[in-house]
Amino acid sequence: RRSEWAVGTPYAADFVFWKACARYEQGQYADALQLVGGFRSRFPESDLRPPVARLRTKCYLKLKQYDLAMELFSRIEDAYPDALETPLCMLDWAGTMIDQGQGEDARKVLIRLVEKYPKSEAAVVGRMWLARIYMDREEWPRAQGLLQDVTAMKDIPAGDHYSAWLALAELQEKQTNLTEAVSAL
């Protein structure tokens, strides 16, 4: 209702972004996309360009427009390598690929995520997903190394430690190393 108040002010980009976020939260994904359409050209200097790009990917995924989401994920990685949103987008990208049965492509994205953003929260989850891919391929040493990396990390959520230890126990059990599996548990 009050969008005209922001036009021409230093807060115009913020207003568009937060209004689009509200539409997303209300399940109005097409409306959110319409609001942020052309955001880069309308607000070329805005610090909100990476969050807007992430919002767009989330809308595309909700609308099941996977090709558009995948294309945008790739552009985000290249366009905003230093943005806080980039590792999260890479994790979403890999998750979408896994859901679409593109495990090998997901593996490549997860490797880049872990290498480029090793201390990010997304990389913690990325390591566990990558370990799961290696477990499915029975590449036990690679999976074990990734999971042990997570168990050794400090300052990560307890749930991530818990998940990594459970995955390590599963890995050991699949190799019939029951003593090690019990130890991990």
Side-chain angles (χ1 to χ4, degrees):
R1 265 186 357 220
R2 307 283 186 230
S3 59
E4 69 277 357
W5 290 3
V7 175
T9 72
Y11 307 105
D14 301 70
F15 191 88
V16 169
F17 173 67
W18 289 111
K19 188 174 180 180
C21 285
R23 294 286 162 80
Y24 175 85
E25 292 299 324
Q26 294 171 335
Q28 300 172 3
Y29 311 118
D31 290 346
L33 282 170
Q34 184 177 12
L35 281 168
V36 295
F39 190 91
R40 277 182 78 173
S41 60
R42 288 187 298 164
F43 308 106
E45 303 299 319
S46 175
D47 292 339
L48 291 172
R49 288 177 299 143
V52 165
R54 178 162 164 68
L55 176 64
R56 288 179 57 212
T57 63
K58 291 168 64 174
C59 289
Y60 288 141
L61 292 175
K62 291 290 190 178
L63 293 168
K64 299 185 183 342
Q65 296 176 345
Y66 301 114
D67 291 342
L68 293 173
M70 300 287 232
E71 180 184 325
L72 186 52
F73 283 134
S74 177
R75 290 196 327 245
I76 290 170
E77 181 183 5
D78 294 335
Y80 308 114
D82 299 326
L84 295 173
E85 292 77 14
T86 301
L88 294 169
C89 284
M90 292 178 78
L91 188 63
D92 290 345
W93 188 11
T96 303
M97 288 176 170
I98 290 168
D99 291 345
Q100 298 290 310
Q102 300 170 8
E104 181 57 25
D105 291 332
R107 185 186 68 81
K108 291 174 185 176
V109 170
L110 290 169
I111 289 170
R112 286 197 314 273
L113 166 63
V114 169
E115 288 175 354
K116 288 183 179 180
Y117 309 98
K119 296 190 185 287
S120 69
E121 291 178 27
V124 173
V125 176
R127 280 180 180 86
M128 290 192 283
W129 289 4
L130 192 53
R132 177 62 57 191
I133 289 170
Y134 287 136
M135 285 172 65
D136 291 345
R137 298 164 120 192
E138 297 184 1
E139 294 182 34
W140 309 121
R142 286 183 171 180
Q144 184 170 345
L146 288 161
L147 294 170
Q148 286 175 330
D149 287 348
V150 175
T151 63
M153 290 179 172
K154 308 246 184 286
D155 300 325
I156 65 171
D160 291 338
H161 275 252
Y162 175 79
S163 295
W165 281 112
L166 281 179
L168 263 174
E170 179 185 347
L171 179 143
Q172 295 298 346
E173 181 183 11
K174 286 184 178 198
Q175 296 178 83
T176 64
N177 298 330
L178 299 182
T179 302
E180 289 85 354
V182 170
S183 178
L185 289 172

